[in-house]
Amino acid sequence: MGGRNNKRKQHLPLPIELEKVTGKVTKAIYDKMKHDQVRDLKKKTAALKQSATGSGRKRAAPAPAAQPSATPKKQKQQPAKRKPAAKPESEEDEESGEEPVMADGPDGGWDNAPLESDSEMGDSDAESLDEFDSDDDHVTQQPLSLLSDDSEEDEDEEDGGVESYDEFDSDDEQVTFRDMEKRSRKLDERRAEDAEMADMELQDQEQAVTSEREIFELPSEAQVEAEKEAPLDLTQVQMRIQEIIRVLNNFSDLRGPSHSRNDYMDQLKRDMCFYYGYNEFLMEKLLQLFTVSEAVEFFEANEVARPVTIRTNTLKTRRRDLAQALINRGVNLDPIGKWTKVGLTIFDSPVPVGATPEYMAGHYMIQAASSFLPVMALGPQENEKVLDMSAAPGGKTTYCSALMKNTGMMVANDANKEREKALVANIHRLGVSNAIVCNYDGREFPKVMGGFDRVLLDAPCSGTGVISKDASVKTNKGPEDFSMLTHLQKELILSAIDSVNADSATGGFIVYSTCSVTVDEDEAVVNYALSKRPNVRLVDTGLDFGRPGFTSFRGQAFHHSLALTRRFYPHAHNMDGFFVAKFKKTSNKIVVGDKQVVPAGSGAKLKQKKKKN
């Protein structure tokens, strides 16, 4: 048992009786008992000297008893004068069999070798103390308590600065290890306090749940009419929006008994139109895309400008070199993400990003991150013939030329002649040498030129994905605008499909993209193209992020392959709202009734004419 105990660190002092049996005397307790014994012996010496007859009787100190073999080495190194003299053997035999508490340490040794006593004694003092040590004069056992962590002990004999072991005990209340009642009481009090706090928290949670279940009352028609003349402030409207969303998210429990879901949605539309500044038509169209909670996130994201992003022109530099050059100018930047190897996000710049020497030299193009996506989906190859049907101001065109390494032919077309000025300027600044700029209506382009390996159509749209750049979209887009735009988009996408040569060895691809998030301009147009041109099919865009397109929407069923298209939202992807779809043309011929027709511009018709001639 002793060997097993020696391997353990004794953290708690043992009662005196158990310490005598096991020999487990800690250094602090050993020294404390030594002080107590010396103090008692001094008191006895002083009392005997006063009662003595003056005979000066002194007894020579007997030879010290043999040290036990188990005395630690550290104990042997202490000077003899610091040890109290041992008792004569005759007196030791007459004792009651209890070993003195000041006996040497246990066999296994402990790091509690006797410390230097604060009251050092000379040799003569040790002899006098030993002289008065009798059988009846044993050290009185005192209540023990843990000493403080400090290595130095107080020299004052009256010092009671002994810390209690129990953390709940006060400084002036010393607790023995035999008395655990007070500690148990303190622990019980602490447990009672914890239980009381837990009950209070439970009550708070119940109150919160109760408040959440309170039924929100919609304003009456009279209140709605009154608010038109005297609108509420934005804070009150925002609180009402949150309450309505809370009800709609748990409609079965929180709904009013006399109100339907449409009543809450109508009020929500009115409040959100007032709060965010949208017209009712566009608000309703956007609310159809999301849940009410996500719709709020979308509208909030449109109130914050997107980060400024630039695209490295790999025809002149590398992204690493460009980043280092801009950092040296004090620009704070970071890569856009893992999905692009040429994009950089500009957080802060001491000079305008469009006025640096690197910009003037054509090392980069200021371009939204979302406009990288259609070019990445198109994936133009070297020595191909590529068409950008709506090219201005040139961000996507110059990106295609960079991927083609200025080889092949890049046709940049735009119907707006004024916008072509910026297109030409960017082509020259970025060092593009394989581009041809033209000004044609995209709907008539297959009659002008055809047989392209790849065609990119970033169609004109309502701009509902770039509201953060153009806030006028909130109010100036109505049903007539969407009707006109969707008709134009359908004509352009058919023209783009007809301009591609399906027999191309490396291409035959068409990418359709918009900066809009409405289904009318995205999935509905793509589904129309699939129905009108059965010689094309949708393929994977190659973009590993973004949300899949809708295959059904509010009763409309689209082709199942529309899940291959990709949607991007400002609140989800921290970029402008965007839509990307990629087609693969499988044949240059289409069946119209009982006849096979080869649309103009595919390139196959030109080959047939040459064969006939």
Side-chain angles (χ1 to χ4, degrees):
M1 177 177 177
R4 203 164 49 238
N5 288 335
N6 284 336
K7 293 180 182 178
R8 300 176 185 167
K9 290 293 182 180
Q10 180 177 344
H11 300 292
L12 304 179
L14 300 172
I16 295 299
E17 294 80 6
L18 188 55
E19 287 177 345
K20 291 178 180 180
V21 175
T22 60
K24 286 292 181 180
V25 183
T26 61
K27 177 171 64 177
I29 294 179
Y30 183 92
D31 201 58
K32 174 67 177 174
M33 293 188 299
K34 181 177 176 180
H35 286 314
D36 294 339
Q37 185 179 16
V38 170
R39 183 179 66 245
D40 295 338
L41 291 176
K42 281 185 176 181
K43 291 180 180 179
K44 293 177 183 179
T45 302
L48 290 173
K49 283 184 178 180
Q50 290 179 1
S51 60
T53 57
S55 60
R57 181 180 52 153
K58 252 185 189 181
R59 194 170 53 180
Q67 297 293 333
S69 58
T71 304
K73 293 181 180 180
K74 186 176 178 182
Q75 197 171 9
K76 291 181 180 179
Q77 294 175 358
Q78 298 294 333
K81 66 180 181 178
R82 302 185 188 279
K83 298 180 182 179
K87 296 181 182 180
E89 295 180 0
S90 59
E91 293 181 1
E92 291 177 358
D93 295 337
E94 296 175 0
E95 289 187 1
S96 60
E98 296 180 353
E99 293 183 6
V101 175
M102 291 181 61
D104 293 329
D107 295 341
W110 36 269
D111 57 350
N112 58 353
L115 299 177
E116 294 182 7
S117 174
D118 294 337
S119 56
E120 296 183 358
M121 299 183 298
D123 295 336
S124 59
D125 293 335
E127 292 177 358
S128 61
L129 291 174
D130 188 39
E131 177 182 0
F132 297 106
D133 194 8
S134 62
D135 297 342
D136 300 330
D137 298 332
H138 294 296
V139 178
T140 305
Q141 180 178 333
Q142 301 292 333
L144 297 179
S145 61
L146 282 179
L147 297 176
S148 63
D149 293 335
D150 298 334
S151 59
E152 297 181 358
E153 301 175 14
D154 202 327
E155 295 180 5
D156 189 3
E157 292 181 357
E158 301 297 326
D159 184 15
V162 179
E163 295 182 0
S164 171
Y165 172 73
D166 194 343
E167 60 178 345
F168 302 113
D169 297 330
S170 58
D171 295 339
D172 56 348
E173 295 180 0
Q174 298 183 2
V175 180
T176 65
F177 283 94
R178 301 183 184 90
D179 183 13
M180 304 298 289
E181 181 179 357
K182 183 168 70 172
R183 282 203 301 164
S184 299
R185 185 170 60 254
K186 298 265 186 186
L187 289 172
D188 292 340
E189 293 175 358
R190 174 63 61 87
R191 292 192 189 98
E193 292 177 0
D194 293 342
E196 185 178 357
M197 292 295 295
D199 292 339
M200 294 175 62
E201 292 178 0
L202 183 60
Q203 292 176 1
D204 293 340
Q205 292 177 359
E206 291 177 352
Q207 291 177 358
V209 172
T210 303
S211 62
E212 288 182 357
R213 293 185 176 275
E214 293 178 357
I215 297 177
F216 168 73
E217 291 293 337
L218 286 173
S220 62
E221 294 182 1
Q223 291 175 333
V224 171
E225 293 297 327
E227 288 179 4
K228 292 180 180 179
E229 299 179 359
L232 300 176
D233 58 38
L234 293 178
T235 304
Q236 292 174 317
V237 174
Q238 184 186 29
M239 292 178 62
R240 189 159 67 186
I241 290 173
Q242 294 175 353
E243 287 294 322
I244 295 175
I245 292 174
R246 181 177 65 86
V247 173
L248 292 174
N249 288 335
N250 190 10
F251 190 69
S252 60
D253 294 337
L254 303 180
R255 61 174 296 183
S258 60
H259 296 291
S260 65
R261 190 178 187 88
N262 289 334
D263 296 335
Y264 288 95
M265 287 300 301
D266 292 341
Q267 184 62 45
L268 180 64
K269 291 173 190 175
R270 288 193 293 268
D271 289 341
M272 294 184 81
C273 286
F274 175 75
Y275 188 79
Y276 292 106
Y278 290 79
N279 60 39
E280 293 185 4
F281 170 78
L282 188 59
M283 174 61 66
E284 182 176 2
K285 188 167 286 291
L286 294 175
L287 281 175
Q288 293 173 357
L289 295 172
F290 311 103
T291 63
V292 288
S293 298
E294 189 176 9
V296 173
E297 296 178 9
F298 174 78
F299 295 133
E300 289 290 341
N302 288 337
E303 302 301 312
V304 181
R306 303 276 77 76
V308 177
T309 55
I310 62 175
R311 177 183 56 82
T312 306
N313 180 21
T314 55
L315 295 175
K316 291 189 174 183
T317 186
R318 296 179 299 178
R319 184 172 70 168
R320 178 176 57 188
D321 299 334
L322 173 63
Q324 187 59 54
L326 294 177
I327 290 172
N328 293 339
R329 297 190 183 278
V331 178
N332 184 11
L333 52 83
D334 209 16
I336 292 179
K338 295 181 180 180
W339 56 271
T340 176
K341 297 182 180 179
V342 295
L344 292 170
T345 301
I346 306 298
F347 299 106
D348 184 31
S349 177
V351 295
V353 182
T356 64
E358 288 77 16
Y359 177 81
M360 298 299 181
H363 289 185
Y364 63 88
M365 177 80 176
I366 301 176
Q367 188 172 352
S370 58
S371 67
F372 293 16
L373 304 174
V375 179
M376 294 172 62
L378 185 66
Q381 306 295 316
E382 297 181 34
N383 299 312
E384 285 188 338
K385 186 179 177 182
V386 181
L387 169 65
D388 187 355
M389 292 189 71
S390 183
K396 290 179 283 297
T397 297
T398 54
Y399 192 6
C400 289
S401 294
L403 293 177
M404 297 166 65
K405 299 181 181 178
N406 263 342
T407 63
M409 183 175 66
M410 184 69 210
V411 179
N413 177 70
D414 199 275
N416 190 332
K417 199 167 186 176
E418 291 297 322
R419 286 168 55 88
E420 282 193 343
K421 295 178 181 179
L423 170 62
V424 173
N426 284 321
I427 286 175
H428 284 293
R429 182 176 61 85
L430 273 69
V432 175
S433 60
N434 68 339
I436 298 174
V437 179
C438 55
N439 174 228
Y440 290 101
D441 187 343
R443 293 171 289 185
E444 304 296 330
F445 204 84
K447 300 177 182 178
V448 178
M449 186 183 300
F452 290 97
D453 296 304
R454 300 170 194 261
V455 174
L456 173 60
L457 173 59
D458 186 25
C461 63
S462 62
T464 53
V466 291
I467 295 177
S468 61
K469 295 180 180 178
D470 185 9
S472 64
V473 176
K474 296 180 179 180
T475 55
N476 64 6
K477 297 299 179 185
E480 300 82 6
D481 298 289
F482 278 87
S483 177
M484 180 191 65
L485 285 171
T486 55
H487 182 72
L488 175 62
Q489 291 160 356
K490 290 175 182 178
E491 290 182 318
L492 286 173
I493 194 171
L494 294 181
S495 177
I497 292 173
D498 294 341
S499 299
V500 172
N501 184 8
D503 298 330
S504 170
T506 58
F509 295 101
I510 307 100
V511 168
Y512 173 79
S513 64
T514 67
C515 55
S516 174
V517 296
T518 61
V519 175
D520 297 347
E521 302 173 87
D522 297 337
E523 285 87 352
V525 174
V526 173
N527 193 69
Y528 172 83
L530 291 175
S531 64
K532 291 295 182 179
R533 292 293 185 267
N535 58 336
V536 296
R537 59 184 175 85
L538 286 173
V539 295
D540 189 12
T541 60
L543 304 172
D544 57 359
F545 68 110
R547 296 185 184 179
F550 291 101
T551 56
S552 62
F553 182 77
R554 299 185 67 84
Q556 292 178 288
F558 302 133
H559 196 272
H560 63 86
S561 61
L562 276 163
L564 296 173
T565 62
R566 284 292 176 267
R567 283 180 158 268
F568 302 90
Y569 298 114
H571 65 284
H573 306 101
N574 196 25
M575 61 175 64
D576 295 330
F578 224 76
F579 175 81
V580 180
K582 184 176 183 180
F583 297 89
K584 169 65 176 175
K585 191 172 182 179
T586 58
S587 173
N588 290 321
K589 299 178 182 180
I590 60 174
V591 178
V592 178
D594 297 335
K595 299 179 182 180
Q596 288 186 349
V597 180
V598 178
S602 63
K605 187 175 181 180
L606 297 177
K607 293 181 181 179
Q608 289 177 356
K609 284 184 178 181
K610 289 181 180 179
K611 289 180 181 179
K612 290 180 181 180
N613 293 335

